[in-house]
Amino acid sequence: MTTHNLLWTSGWDSTFRLLQIILVEKENVQPIYVIDQTRKSLKVELEGIKKILNEIKELHPEAYKLILPVWYAEDDITINKEIKESSVYINSFVKLGSQYSWLAQFCHNYNLNNVEICNDKNLKADSLTNFLITNYIKADYTDIENREKYNKIDTVFKYFSFPVSTLSKRDMLAIAKEKKWENIMFLTWFCHKPRKNKACGKCNPCINVIKKDMGFRIPVFNRMKGYLKIYLSRK
């Protein structure tokens, strides 16, 4: 039976994918959670993982057996020259979070390939997902210039696959409702700066959730802060 290596944060996209693997594809999954001690949401995310696993165990005991023990990775990573240069190159086109360099090096160190990384559908021209689809995932290699660009991007992203890049968060919500996964999906976490275990409404992930018509997941007062931040950013 196939075992999927899945980067899992207890977030919406990666939890959706985890459920797909065990409930639809009925295959094994190795969840990988990368520990960053400086991350303000670390405690909430770890609690989220426990809650989600407990809910799956209660609702889908047989499928739960397909989930291998979570690999909590807390390595002291030194990024090699090739990955650094590739990351700088990609950053010249689109904003690339520093976590991608770290994750690429992590995969390189452990000889991991086809690690599932869950970036949802985003057609905005300046989004990383759109950049990767255009220049990497569906790139035209017949053009020499495109091939060179592909190779430079490949240095970072050759370790990963992108199983939900064609689905928006609303698409996932519709599927979750159809398959009655809502109880599990609403245990997921996204906020990077939680306050009293509530989404802040103002951090980048919260703003992203609001922009993707998922703002109902943020408490009303904090959501208003997010709307205000979006409004002011447009002035």
Side-chain angles (χ1 to χ4, degrees), residues 92-119:
S92 69
F93 296 97
V94 66
K95 185 176 181 180
L96 180 72
S98 59
Q99 71 270 25
Y100 291 100
S101 303
W102 195 99
L103 290 170
Q105 188 66 54
F106 171 79
C107 292
H108 175 81
N109 291 354
Y110 284 95
N111 196 30
L112 299 174
N113 291 293
N114 201 34
V115 175
E116 299 191 8
I117 192 166
C118 295
N119 292 352

Side-chain angles (χ1 to χ4, degrees), residues 128-140 146 149:
L128 176 62
T129 302
N130 187 59
F131 172 81
L132 289 173
I133 289 174
T134 305
N135 298 284
Y136 185 65
I137 299 172
K138 295 183 178 180
D140 176 11
N146 286 350
K149 190 174 187 180

Side-chain angles (χ1 to χ4, degrees), residues 63 79 82 97 136 150 182 193 207 211:
I79 311 298
E82 291 76 16
Y136 185 65
Y150 172 91
E182 300 105 305
K193 298 179 180 179
I207 295 297
K211 288 181 176 179

Side-chain angles (χ1 to χ4, degrees), residues 190-191 198-203 205-210 214-226:
F190 52 90
C191 178
K198 302 291 184 183
C200 72
K202 296 171 63 178
C203 68
C206 282
I207 295 297
N208 187 45
V209 162
I210 292 171
M214 298 286 284
F216 63 87
R217 302 200 62 211
I218 302 172
V220 175
F221 182 72
N222 291 351
R223 196 188 318 161
M224 293 304 104
K225 294 179 183 178

Side-chain angles (χ1 to χ4, degrees), residues 41-59:
S41 57
L42 175 63
K43 181 180 177 182
V44 184
E45 289 178 3
L46 293 176
E47 289 174 353
I49 286 175
K50 291 179 181 178
K51 289 177 182 177
I52 291 167
L53 289 175
N54 287 337
E55 190 74 4
I56 293 172
K57 187 175 183 179
E58 181 176 338
L59 297 176

Side-chain angles (χ1 to χ4, degrees), residues 124 204 207 211 225-235:
K124 290 182 63 177
N204 287 338
I207 295 297
K211 288 181 176 179
K225 294 179 183 178
Y227 282 123
L228 179 61
K229 184 175 181 179
I230 293 169
Y231 172 75
L232 293 175
S233 70
R234 293 172 178 169
K235 299 187 76 175

Side-chain angles (χ1 to χ4, degrees), residues 80 82-83 86 104 150-159:
N80 67 33
E82 291 76 16
I83 291 175
S86 174
Y150 172 91
N151 288 339
K152 290 179 180 179
I153 297 169
D154 189 57
T155 302
V156 169
F157 286 99
K158 64 184 176 183
Y159 304 99

